[in-house]
Amino acid sequence: SLPSYRGGNVNCEEFTAEGRRNNPNLMVKAYDQSAQTLNILRAFSTGGFADISRLQAWNLEFVEASDEESRYRKLAEKVDESLRFMKAIGIDTSKPEFTTGDFITAHECLLRPYTQALTREDSIT
């Protein structure tokens, strides 16, 4: 009997002794890809892309030519209208509450023993 498939970050689906052997290089590759993704998310969330006033400019490809597109556009128009009202009554919409966003990431709990060694406290936060 061979070891279980533990996911693409640990071993391979291939039902062979070699495929089911734990491969730390897969974890390193996943770590590198995750770090790149988090860097992109940080850049978007703090670099102006998350600015609520840019709601209409956010990627609409996911709803294009669907019933959701018109609902999304209507929601975006309501948000724009609300922002104009806030500005009219003196609210500063250039504050971080309106221009940045928080995000949360998680990992598969099955990989915890493998990822624990790579975990560090972010020096920025």
Side-chain angles (χ1 to χ4, degrees):
S1 176
L2 295 172
S4 296
Y5 172 61
R6 304 254 346 231
N9 294 337
V10 177
N11 60 9
C12 296
E13 254 182 292
E14 178 185 325
F15 194 67
T16 64
E18 179 64 27
R20 294 300 170 92
R21 185 173 294 121
N22 290 349
N23 182 346
N25 291 326
L26 294 173
M27 182 61 67
V28 171
K29 180 180 176 184
Y31 178 82
D32 289 341
Q33 290 172 332
S34 296
Q36 291 172 19
T37 301
L38 289 173
N39 286 337
I40 290 170
L41 286 173
R42 278 188 201 100
F44 282 158
S45 69
T46 60
F49 187 79
D51 190 331
I52 193 73
S53 68
R54 298 189 64 224
L55 187 62
Q56 295 281 6
W58 290 352
N59 183 356
L60 294 176
E61 290 177 8
F62 68 98
V63 293
E64 225 170 63
S66 69
D67 293 336
E68 288 78 18
E69 179 183 16
S70 64
R71 292 199 332 249
Y72 183 89
R73 290 195 186 282
K74 285 178 186 175
L75 172 67
E77 288 168 9
K78 291 282 189 191
V79 170
D80 284 343
E81 181 182 325
S82 298
L83 288 171
R84 285 192 303 274
F85 175 75
M86 288 181 204
K87 287 177 186 177
I89 62 171
I91 295 175
D92 181 5
T93 59
S94 65
K95 290 184 176 183
E97 293 84 358
F98 295 96
T99 60
T100 62
D102 294 330
F103 63 92
I104 297 170
T105 62
H107 64 84
E108 297 178 46
C109 290
L110 290 174
L111 304 178
R112 187 164 183 227
Y114 295 96
T115 59
Q116 193 168 13
L118 298 172
T119 303
R120 63 176 172 73
E121 187 172 329
D122 186 347
S123 62
I124 296 172
T125 58

PDB file of all heavy atoms in Angstrom, residues 53-86:
ATOM      1  N   SER A  53     -14.009  54.820  -4.717  1.00  0.00           N
ATOM      2  CA  SER A  53     -14.461  55.729  -5.777  1.00  0.00           C
ATOM      3  C   SER A  53     -14.129  55.191  -7.167  1.00  0.00           C
ATOM      4  O   SER A  53     -14.622  55.699  -8.157  1.00  0.00           O
ATOM      5  CB  SER A  53     -13.854  57.122  -5.591  1.00  0.00           C
ATOM      6  OG  SER A  53     -12.461  57.089  -5.810  1.00  0.00           O
ATOM      7  N   ARG A  54     -13.305  54.147  -7.226  1.00  0.00           N
ATOM      8  CA  ARG A  54     -12.972  53.516  -8.506  1.00  0.00           C
ATOM      9  C   ARG A  54     -13.824  52.281  -8.766  1.00  0.00           C
ATOM     10  O   ARG A  54     -13.491  51.456  -9.613  1.00  0.00           O
ATOM     11  CB  ARG A  54     -11.491  53.129  -8.524  1.00  0.00           C
ATOM     12  CG  ARG A  54     -10.545  54.322  -8.395  1.00  0.00           C
ATOM     13  CD  ARG A  54      -9.108  53.930  -8.634  1.00  0.00           C
ATOM     14  NE  ARG A  54      -8.965  53.480 -10.013  1.00  0.00           N
ATOM     15  CZ  ARG A  54      -8.268  52.397 -10.374  1.00  0.00           C
ATOM     16  NH1 ARG A  54      -7.657  51.681  -9.488  1.00  0.00           N
ATOM     17  NH2 ARG A  54      -8.177  52.047 -11.642  1.00  0.00           N
ATOM     18  N   LEU A  55     -14.904  52.144  -8.047  1.00  0.00           N
ATOM     19  CA  LEU A  55     -15.740  50.955  -8.150  1.00  0.00           C
ATOM     20  C   LEU A  55     -16.120  50.628  -9.595  1.00  0.00           C
ATOM     21  O   LEU A  55     -16.108  49.470 -10.005  1.00  0.00           O
ATOM     22  CB  LEU A  55     -16.995  51.124  -7.287  1.00  0.00           C
ATOM     23  CG  LEU A  55     -17.907  49.923  -7.150  1.00  0.00           C
ATOM     24  CD1 LEU A  55     -17.173  48.771  -6.491  1.00  0.00           C
ATOM     25  CD2 LEU A  55     -19.140  50.285  -6.353  1.00  0.00           C
ATOM     26  N   GLN A  56     -16.436  51.651 -10.369  1.00  0.00           N
ATOM     27  CA  GLN A  56     -16.827  51.427 -11.769  1.00  0.00           C
ATOM     28  C   GLN A  56     -15.656  50.886 -12.596  1.00  0.00           C
ATOM     29  O   GLN A  56     -15.860  50.225 -13.602  1.00  0.00           O
ATOM     30  CB  GLN A  56     -17.336  52.728 -12.407  1.00  0.00           C
ATOM     31  CG  GLN A  56     -18.604  53.256 -11.807  1.00  0.00           C
ATOM     32  CD  GLN A  56     -19.851  52.540 -12.301  1.00  0.00           C
ATOM     33  OE1 GLN A  56     -19.787  51.558 -13.029  1.00  0.00           O
ATOM     34  NE2 GLN A  56     -20.998  53.020 -11.895  1.00  0.00           N
ATOM     35  N   ALA A  57     -14.427  51.167 -12.177  1.00  0.00           N
ATOM     36  CA  ALA A  57     -13.253  50.738 -12.942  1.00  0.00           C
ATOM     37  C   ALA A  57     -12.775  49.341 -12.550  1.00  0.00           C
ATOM     38  O   ALA A  57     -11.914  48.783 -13.215  1.00  0.00           O
ATOM     39  CB  ALA A  57     -12.109  51.733 -12.741  1.00  0.00           C
ATOM     40  N   TRP A  58     -13.329  48.789 -11.473  1.00  0.00           N
ATOM     41  CA  TRP A  58     -12.895  47.459 -11.057  1.00  0.00           C
ATOM     42  C   TRP A  58     -13.231  46.454 -12.138  1.00  0.00           C
ATOM     43  O   TRP A  58     -14.157  46.629 -12.926  1.00  0.00           O
ATOM     44  CB  TRP A  58     -13.552  47.055  -9.745  1.00  0.00           C
ATOM     45  CG  TRP A  58     -13.049  47.842  -8.564  1.00  0.00           C
ATOM     46  CD1 TRP A  58     -12.012  48.724  -8.547  1.00  0.00           C
ATOM     47  CD2 TRP A  58     -13.573  47.827  -7.250  1.00  0.00           C
ATOM     48  NE1 TRP A  58     -11.850  49.249  -7.293  1.00  0.00           N
ATOM     49  CE2 TRP A  58     -12.792  48.711  -6.468  1.00  0.00           C
ATOM     50  CE3 TRP A  58     -14.613  47.151  -6.629  1.00  0.00           C
ATOM     51  CZ2 TRP A  58     -13.029  48.931  -5.116  1.00  0.00           C
ATOM     52  CZ3 TRP A  58     -14.850  47.370  -5.291  1.00  0.00           C
ATOM     53  CH2 TRP A  58     -14.064  48.246  -4.547  1.00  0.00           C
ATOM     54  N   ASN A  59     -12.520  45.392 -12.174  1.00  0.00           N
ATOM     55  CA  ASN A  59     -12.663  44.363 -13.190  1.00  0.00           C
ATOM     56  C   ASN A  59     -14.105  43.875 -13.273  1.00  0.00           C
ATOM     57  O   ASN A  59     -14.605  43.241 -12.358  1.00  0.00           O
ATOM     58  CB  ASN A  59     -11.721  43.204 -12.841  1.00  0.00           C
ATOM     59  CG  ASN A  59     -11.741  42.120 -13.864  1.00  0.00           C
ATOM     60  OD1 ASN A  59     -12.494  42.162 -14.825  1.00  0.00           O
ATOM     61  ND2 ASN A  59     -10.911  41.128 -13.663  1.00  0.00           N
ATOM     62  N   LEU A  60     -14.746  44.171 -14.388  1.00  0.00           N
ATOM     63  CA  LEU A  60     -16.128  43.741 -14.585  1.00  0.00           C
ATOM     64  C   LEU A  60     -16.228  42.511 -15.473  1.00  0.00           C
ATOM     65  O   LEU A  60     -17.329  42.058 -15.772  1.00  0.00           O
ATOM     66  CB  LEU A  60     -16.950  44.881 -15.197  1.00  0.00           C
ATOM     67  CG  LEU A  60     -17.162  46.109 -14.323  1.00  0.00           C
ATOM     68  CD1 LEU A  60     -17.912  47.177 -15.094  1.00  0.00           C
ATOM     69  CD2 LEU A  60     -17.920  45.738 -13.069  1.00  0.00           C
ATOM     70  N   GLU A  61     -15.107  41.970 -15.899  1.00  0.00           N
ATOM     71  CA  GLU A  61     -15.142  40.817 -16.800  1.00  0.00           C
ATOM     72  C   GLU A  61     -15.902  39.644 -16.200  1.00  0.00           C
ATOM     73  O   GLU A  61     -16.522  38.869 -16.913  1.00  0.00           O
ATOM     74  CB  GLU A  61     -13.724  40.382 -17.158  1.00  0.00           C
ATOM     75  CG  GLU A  61     -13.002  41.365 -18.046  1.00  0.00           C
ATOM     76  CD  GLU A  61     -11.565  40.946 -18.329  1.00  0.00           C
ATOM     77  OE1 GLU A  61     -11.178  39.825 -17.957  1.00  0.00           O
ATOM     78  OE2 GLU A  61     -10.840  41.755 -18.918  1.00  0.00           O
ATOM     79  N   PHE A  62     -15.858  39.522 -14.866  1.00  0.00           N
ATOM     80  CA  PHE A  62     -16.521  38.387 -14.224  1.00  0.00           C
ATOM     81  C   PHE A  62     -18.037  38.462 -14.311  1.00  0.00           C
ATOM     82  O   PHE A  62     -18.716  37.468 -14.097  1.00  0.00           O
ATOM     83  CB  PHE A  62     -16.065  38.236 -12.769  1.00  0.00           C
ATOM     84  CG  PHE A  62     -16.517  39.352 -11.861  1.00  0.00           C
ATOM     85  CD1 PHE A  62     -17.636  39.205 -11.065  1.00  0.00           C
ATOM     86  CD2 PHE A  62     -15.805  40.535 -11.804  1.00  0.00           C
ATOM     87  CE1 PHE A  62     -18.046  40.227 -10.224  1.00  0.00           C
ATOM     88  CE2 PHE A  62     -16.206  41.556 -10.960  1.00  0.00           C
ATOM     89  CZ  PHE A  62     -17.322  41.410 -10.182  1.00  0.00           C
ATOM     90  N   VAL A  63     -18.588  39.620 -14.608  1.00  0.00           N
ATOM     91  CA  VAL A  63     -20.042  39.746 -14.734  1.00  0.00           C
ATOM     92  C   VAL A  63     -20.485  40.191 -16.119  1.00  0.00           C
ATOM     93  O   VAL A  63     -21.676  40.296 -16.374  1.00  0.00           O
ATOM     94  CB  VAL A  63     -20.627  40.724 -13.684  1.00  0.00           C
ATOM     95  CG1 VAL A  63     -20.497  40.177 -12.293  1.00  0.00           C
ATOM     96  CG2 VAL A  63     -20.041  42.092 -13.811  1.00  0.00           C
ATOM     97  N   GLU A  64     -19.550  40.451 -17.005  1.00  0.00           N
ATOM     98  CA  GLU A  64     -19.872  40.966 -18.329  1.00  0.00           C
ATOM     99  C   GLU A  64     -20.860  40.053 -19.049  1.00  0.00           C
ATOM    100  O   GLU A  64     -20.750  38.840 -19.002  1.00  0.00           O
ATOM    101  CB  GLU A  64     -18.590  41.092 -19.167  1.00  0.00           C
ATOM    102  CG  GLU A  64     -18.496  42.398 -19.912  1.00  0.00           C
ATOM    103  CD  GLU A  64     -17.124  42.582 -20.517  1.00  0.00           C
ATOM    104  OE1 GLU A  64     -16.744  41.781 -21.379  1.00  0.00           O
ATOM    105  OE2 GLU A  64     -16.445  43.530 -20.093  1.00  0.00           O
ATOM    106  N   ALA A  65     -21.824  40.678 -19.714  1.00  0.00           N
ATOM    107  CA  ALA A  65     -22.825  39.966 -20.518  1.00  0.00           C
ATOM    108  C   ALA A  65     -23.598  38.944 -19.688  1.00  0.00           C
ATOM    109  O   ALA A  65     -23.884  37.848 -20.142  1.00  0.00           O
ATOM    110  CB  ALA A  65     -22.179  39.308 -21.735  1.00  0.00           C
ATOM    111  N   SER A  66     -23.937  39.306 -18.463  1.00  0.00           N
ATOM    112  CA  SER A  66     -24.734  38.415 -17.623  1.00  0.00           C
ATOM    113  C   SER A  66     -25.791  39.238 -16.901  1.00  0.00           C
ATOM    114  O   SER A  66     -25.766  40.465 -16.906  1.00  0.00           O
ATOM    115  CB  SER A  66     -23.850  37.695 -16.605  1.00  0.00           C
ATOM    116  OG  SER A  66     -23.360  38.613 -15.652  1.00  0.00           O
ATOM    117  N   ASP A  67     -26.712  38.543 -16.267  1.00  0.00           N
ATOM    118  CA  ASP A  67     -27.732  39.239 -15.481  1.00  0.00           C
ATOM    119  C   ASP A  67     -27.086  40.016 -14.336  1.00  0.00           C
ATOM    120  O   ASP A  67     -27.570  41.072 -13.941  1.00  0.00           O
ATOM    121  CB  ASP A  67     -28.728  38.241 -14.892  1.00  0.00           C
ATOM    122  CG  ASP A  67     -29.560  37.554 -15.971  1.00  0.00           C
ATOM    123  OD1 ASP A  67     -29.709  38.129 -17.075  1.00  0.00           O
ATOM    124  OD2 ASP A  67     -30.051  36.443 -15.705  1.00  0.00           O
ATOM    125  N   GLU A  68     -25.985  39.481 -13.813  1.00  0.00           N
ATOM    126  CA  GLU A  68     -25.304  40.120 -12.692  1.00  0.00           C
ATOM    127  C   GLU A  68     -24.673  41.456 -13.088  1.00  0.00           C
ATOM    128  O   GLU A  68     -24.505  42.335 -12.248  1.00  0.00           O
ATOM    129  CB  GLU A  68     -24.228  39.202 -12.107  1.00  0.00           C
ATOM    130  CG  GLU A  68     -24.785  38.024 -11.331  1.00  0.00           C
ATOM    131  CD  GLU A  68     -25.295  36.895 -12.216  1.00  0.00           C
ATOM    132  OE1 GLU A  68     -24.938  36.842 -13.416  1.00  0.00           O
ATOM    133  OE2 GLU A  68     -26.065  36.065 -11.716  1.00  0.00           O
ATOM    134  N   GLU A  69     -24.330  41.615 -14.375  1.00  0.00           N
ATOM    135  CA  GLU A  69     -23.689  42.861 -14.809  1.00  0.00           C
ATOM    136  C   GLU A  69     -24.572  44.061 -14.524  1.00  0.00           C
ATOM    137  O   GLU A  69     -24.122  45.066 -13.971  1.00  0.00           O
ATOM    138  CB  GLU A  69     -23.328  42.821 -16.284  1.00  0.00           C
ATOM    139  CG  GLU A  69     -22.679  44.118 -16.749  1.00  0.00           C
ATOM    140  CD  GLU A  69     -22.361  44.142 -18.235  1.00  0.00           C
ATOM    141  OE1 GLU A  69     -22.886  43.309 -18.983  1.00  0.00           O
ATOM    142  OE2 GLU A  69     -21.588  45.024 -18.630  1.00  0.00           O
ATOM    143  N   SER A  70     -25.838  43.983 -14.876  1.00  0.00           N
ATOM    144  CA  SER A  70     -26.716  45.138 -14.661  1.00  0.00           C
ATOM    145  C   SER A  70     -26.922  45.379 -13.169  1.00  0.00           C
ATOM    146  O   SER A  70     -26.959  46.538 -12.726  1.00  0.00           O
ATOM    147  CB  SER A  70     -28.057  44.950 -15.368  1.00  0.00           C
ATOM    148  OG  SER A  70     -28.759  43.855 -14.833  1.00  0.00           O
ATOM    149  N   ARG A  71     -27.013  44.331 -12.375  1.00  0.00           N
ATOM    150  CA  ARG A  71     -27.145  44.513 -10.924  1.00  0.00           C
ATOM    151  C   ARG A  71     -25.872  45.122 -10.350  1.00  0.00           C
ATOM    152  O   ARG A  71     -25.930  45.984  -9.476  1.00  0.00           O
ATOM    153  CB  ARG A  71     -27.457  43.172 -10.243  1.00  0.00           C
ATOM    154  CG  ARG A  71     -28.844  42.661 -10.602  1.00  0.00           C
ATOM    155  CD  ARG A  71     -29.416  41.609  -9.674  1.00  0.00           C
ATOM    156  NE  ARG A  71     -28.489  40.765  -8.993  1.00  0.00           N
ATOM    157  CZ  ARG A  71     -28.311  39.467  -9.221  1.00  0.00           C
ATOM    158  NH1 ARG A  71     -29.000  38.868 -10.171  1.00  0.00           N
ATOM    159  NH2 ARG A  71     -27.473  38.759  -8.505  1.00  0.00           N
ATOM    160  N   TYR A  72     -24.709  44.686 -10.836  1.00  0.00           N
ATOM    161  CA  TYR A  72     -23.432  45.246 -10.370  1.00  0.00           C
ATOM    162  C   TYR A  72     -23.339  46.725 -10.721  1.00  0.00           C
ATOM    163  O   TYR A  72     -22.966  47.540  -9.899  1.00  0.00           O
ATOM    164  CB  TYR A  72     -22.263  44.473 -10.987  1.00  0.00           C
ATOM    165  CG  TYR A  72     -20.912  44.941 -10.502  1.00  0.00           C
ATOM    166  CD1 TYR A  72     -20.340  44.397  -9.375  1.00  0.00           C
ATOM    167  CD2 TYR A  72     -20.223  45.947 -11.179  1.00  0.00           C
ATOM    168  CE1 TYR A  72     -19.106  44.825  -8.912  1.00  0.00           C
ATOM    169  CE2 TYR A  72     -18.982  46.382 -10.731  1.00  0.00           C
ATOM    170  CZ  TYR A  72     -18.429  45.819  -9.602  1.00  0.00           C
ATOM    171  OH  TYR A  72     -17.212  46.255  -9.152  1.00  0.00           O
ATOM    172  N   ARG A  73     -23.689  47.066 -11.950  1.00  0.00           N
ATOM    173  CA  ARG A  73     -23.633  48.460 -12.371  1.00  0.00           C
ATOM    174  C   ARG A  73     -24.586  49.329 -11.553  1.00  0.00           C
ATOM    175  O   ARG A  73     -24.258  50.452 -11.187  1.00  0.00           O
ATOM    176  CB  ARG A  73     -23.914  48.585 -13.858  1.00  0.00           C
ATOM    177  CG  ARG A  73     -22.781  48.033 -14.706  1.00  0.00           C
ATOM    178  CD  ARG A  73     -22.874  48.477 -16.149  1.00  0.00           C
ATOM    179  NE  ARG A  73     -21.879  47.822 -16.957  1.00  0.00           N
ATOM    180  CZ  ARG A  73     -20.591  48.156 -17.003  1.00  0.00           C
ATOM    181  NH1 ARG A  73     -20.149  49.137 -16.268  1.00  0.00           N
ATOM    182  NH2 ARG A  73     -19.744  47.503 -17.775  1.00  0.00           N
ATOM    183  N   LYS A  74     -25.775  48.807 -11.254  1.00  0.00           N
ATOM    184  CA  LYS A  74     -26.725  49.557 -10.430  1.00  0.00           C
ATOM    185  C   LYS A  74     -26.160  49.770  -9.029  1.00  0.00           C
ATOM    186  O   LYS A  74     -26.272  50.857  -8.461  1.00  0.00           O
ATOM    187  CB  LYS A  74     -28.068  48.829 -10.356  1.00  0.00           C
ATOM    188  CG  LYS A  74     -28.888  48.931 -11.618  1.00  0.00           C
ATOM    189  CD  LYS A  74     -30.183  48.157 -11.500  1.00  0.00           C
ATOM    190  CE  LYS A  74     -30.917  48.166 -12.838  1.00  0.00           C
ATOM    191  NZ  LYS A  74     -32.118  47.333 -12.801  1.00  0.00           N
ATOM    192  N   LEU A  75     -25.542  48.737  -8.465  1.00  0.00           N
ATOM    193  CA  LEU A  75     -24.923  48.860  -7.143  1.00  0.00           C
ATOM    194  C   LEU A  75     -23.803  49.898  -7.190  1.00  0.00           C
ATOM    195  O   LEU A  75     -23.700  50.756  -6.306  1.00  0.00           O
ATOM    196  CB  LEU A  75     -24.377  47.511  -6.679  1.00  0.00           C
ATOM    197  CG  LEU A  75     -23.543  47.542  -5.401  1.00  0.00           C
ATOM    198  CD1 LEU A  75     -24.404  47.900  -4.206  1.00  0.00           C
ATOM    199  CD2 LEU A  75     -22.845  46.209  -5.193  1.00  0.00           C
ATOM    200  N   ALA A  76     -22.979  49.841  -8.224  1.00  0.00           N
ATOM    201  CA  ALA A  76     -21.871  50.791  -8.358  1.00  0.00           C
ATOM    202  C   ALA A  76     -22.397  52.220  -8.484  1.00  0.00           C
ATOM    203  O   ALA A  76     -21.815  53.152  -7.912  1.00  0.00           O
ATOM    204  CB  ALA A  76     -21.013  50.425  -9.572  1.00  0.00           C
ATOM    205  N   GLU A  77     -23.493  52.404  -9.190  1.00  0.00           N
ATOM    206  CA  GLU A  77     -24.089  53.741  -9.314  1.00  0.00           C
ATOM    207  C   GLU A  77     -24.584  54.245  -7.960  1.00  0.00           C
ATOM    208  O   GLU A  77     -24.419  55.421  -7.632  1.00  0.00           O
ATOM    209  CB  GLU A  77     -25.226  53.711 -10.337  1.00  0.00           C
ATOM    210  CG  GLU A  77     -24.743  53.574 -11.771  1.00  0.00           C
ATOM    211  CD  GLU A  77     -25.857  53.256 -12.757  1.00  0.00           C
ATOM    212  OE1 GLU A  77     -27.054  53.300 -12.363  1.00  0.00           O
ATOM    213  OE2 GLU A  77     -25.535  52.940 -13.915  1.00  0.00           O
ATOM    214  N   LYS A  78     -25.180  53.363  -7.181  1.00  0.00           N
ATOM    215  CA  LYS A  78     -25.646  53.741  -5.836  1.00  0.00           C
ATOM    216  C   LYS A  78     -24.465  54.131  -4.947  1.00  0.00           C
ATOM    217  O   LYS A  78     -24.539  55.096  -4.187  1.00  0.00           O
ATOM    218  CB  LYS A  78     -26.424  52.595  -5.186  1.00  0.00           C
ATOM    219  CG  LYS A  78     -27.744  52.301  -5.827  1.00  0.00           C
ATOM    220  CD  LYS A  78     -28.751  53.314  -5.381  1.00  0.00           C
ATOM    221  CE  LYS A  78     -30.125  52.897  -5.858  1.00  0.00           C
ATOM    222  NZ  LYS A  78     -31.096  53.953  -5.677  1.00  0.00           N
ATOM    223  N   VAL A  79     -23.369  53.382  -5.039  1.00  0.00           N
ATOM    224  CA  VAL A  79     -22.176  53.696  -4.252  1.00  0.00           C
ATOM    225  C   VAL A  79     -21.635  55.055  -4.688  1.00  0.00           C
ATOM    226  O   VAL A  79     -21.292  55.901  -3.848  1.00  0.00           O
ATOM    227  CB  VAL A  79     -21.105  52.592  -4.386  1.00  0.00           C
ATOM    228  CG1 VAL A  79     -19.778  53.038  -3.780  1.00  0.00           C
ATOM    229  CG2 VAL A  79     -21.584  51.305  -3.739  1.00  0.00           C
ATOM    230  N   ASP A  80     -21.555  55.292  -5.994  1.00  0.00           N
ATOM    231  CA  ASP A  80     -21.095  56.591  -6.500  1.00  0.00           C
ATOM    232  C   ASP A  80     -21.978  57.726  -5.983  1.00  0.00           C
ATOM    233  O   ASP A  80     -21.489  58.775  -5.557  1.00  0.00           O
ATOM    234  CB  ASP A  80     -21.081  56.613  -8.030  1.00  0.00           C
ATOM    235  CG  ASP A  80     -19.909  55.858  -8.625  1.00  0.00           C
ATOM    236  OD1 ASP A  80     -18.932  55.591  -7.902  1.00  0.00           O
ATOM    237  OD2 ASP A  80     -19.984  55.540  -9.829  1.00  0.00           O
ATOM    238  N   GLU A  81     -23.279  57.505  -6.016  1.00  0.00           N
ATOM    239  CA  GLU A  81     -24.228  58.511  -5.525  1.00  0.00           C
ATOM    240  C   GLU A  81     -23.992  58.772  -4.026  1.00  0.00           C
ATOM    241  O   GLU A  81     -23.981  59.923  -3.587  1.00  0.00           O
ATOM    242  CB  GLU A  81     -25.653  57.998  -5.753  1.00  0.00           C
ATOM    243  CG  GLU A  81     -26.752  58.929  -5.331  1.00  0.00           C
ATOM    244  CD  GLU A  81     -28.121  58.304  -5.561  1.00  0.00           C
ATOM    245  OE1 GLU A  81     -28.296  57.563  -6.553  1.00  0.00           O
ATOM    246  OE2 GLU A  81     -29.014  58.565  -4.729  1.00  0.00           O
ATOM    247  N   SER A  82     -23.780  57.717  -3.270  1.00  0.00           N
ATOM    248  CA  SER A  82     -23.527  57.864  -1.831  1.00  0.00           C
ATOM    249  C   SER A  82     -22.225  58.612  -1.570  1.00  0.00           C
ATOM    250  O   SER A  82     -22.147  59.459  -0.675  1.00  0.00           O
ATOM    251  CB  SER A  82     -23.472  56.490  -1.160  1.00  0.00           C
ATOM    252  OG  SER A  82     -24.695  55.822  -1.299  1.00  0.00           O
ATOM    253  N   LEU A  83     -21.195  58.321  -2.358  1.00  0.00           N
ATOM    254  CA  LEU A  83     -19.922  59.024  -2.202  1.00  0.00           C
ATOM    255  C   LEU A  83     -20.056  60.511  -2.523  1.00  0.00           C
ATOM    256  O   LEU A  83     -19.479  61.356  -1.832  1.00  0.00           O
ATOM    257  CB  LEU A  83     -18.847  58.384  -3.082  1.00  0.00           C
ATOM    258  CG  LEU A  83     -18.343  57.017  -2.620  1.00  0.00           C
ATOM    259  CD1 LEU A  83     -17.448  56.390  -3.686  1.00  0.00           C
ATOM    260  CD2 LEU A  83     -17.597  57.131  -1.295  1.00  0.00           C
ATOM    261  N   ARG A  84     -20.815  60.828  -3.559  1.00  0.00           N
ATOM    262  CA  ARG A  84     -21.041  62.240  -3.892  1.00  0.00           C
ATOM    263  C   ARG A  84     -21.761  62.949  -2.748  1.00  0.00           C
ATOM    264  O   ARG A  84     -21.426  64.076  -2.394  1.00  0.00           O
ATOM    265  CB  ARG A  84     -21.831  62.371  -5.199  1.00  0.00           C
ATOM    266  CG  ARG A  84     -21.010  62.081  -6.444  1.00  0.00           C
ATOM    267  CD  ARG A  84     -21.726  62.499  -7.729  1.00  0.00           C
ATOM    268  NE  ARG A  84     -23.032  61.878  -7.894  1.00  0.00           N
ATOM    269  CZ  ARG A  84     -23.231  60.675  -8.447  1.00  0.00           C
ATOM    270  NH1 ARG A  84     -22.204  59.965  -8.871  1.00  0.00           N
ATOM    271  NH2 ARG A  84     -24.446  60.200  -8.575  1.00  0.00           N
ATOM    272  N   PHE A  85     -22.729  62.261  -2.148  1.00  0.00           N
ATOM    273  CA  PHE A  85     -23.443  62.837  -1.008  1.00  0.00           C
ATOM    274  C   PHE A  85     -22.495  63.060   0.165  1.00  0.00           C
ATOM    275  O   PHE A  85     -22.510  64.114   0.800  1.00  0.00           O
ATOM    276  CB  PHE A  85     -24.607  61.933  -0.591  1.00  0.00           C
ATOM    277  CG  PHE A  85     -25.306  62.394   0.649  1.00  0.00           C
ATOM    278  CD1 PHE A  85     -26.164  63.479   0.619  1.00  0.00           C
ATOM    279  CD2 PHE A  85     -25.093  61.753   1.861  1.00  0.00           C
ATOM    280  CE1 PHE A  85     -26.806  63.927   1.766  1.00  0.00           C
ATOM    281  CE2 PHE A  85     -25.717  62.189   3.019  1.00  0.00           C
ATOM    282  CZ  PHE A  85     -26.584  63.273   2.973  1.00  0.00           C
ATOM    283  N   MET A  86     -21.663  62.060   0.463  1.00  0.00           N
ATOM    284  CA  MET A  86     -20.705  62.191   1.567  1.00  0.00           C
ATOM    285  C   MET A  86     -19.773  63.375   1.353  1.00  0.00           C
ATOM    286  O   MET A  86     -19.508  64.138   2.280  1.00  0.00           O
ATOM    287  CB  MET A  86     -19.886  60.906   1.717  1.00  0.00           C
ATOM    288  CG  MET A  86     -20.654  59.744   2.288  1.00  0.00           C
ATOM    289  SD  MET A  86     -19.555  58.334   2.432  1.00  0.00           S
ATOM    290  CE  MET A  86     -20.712  57.004   2.412  1.00  0.00           C
TER     291      MET A  86
END
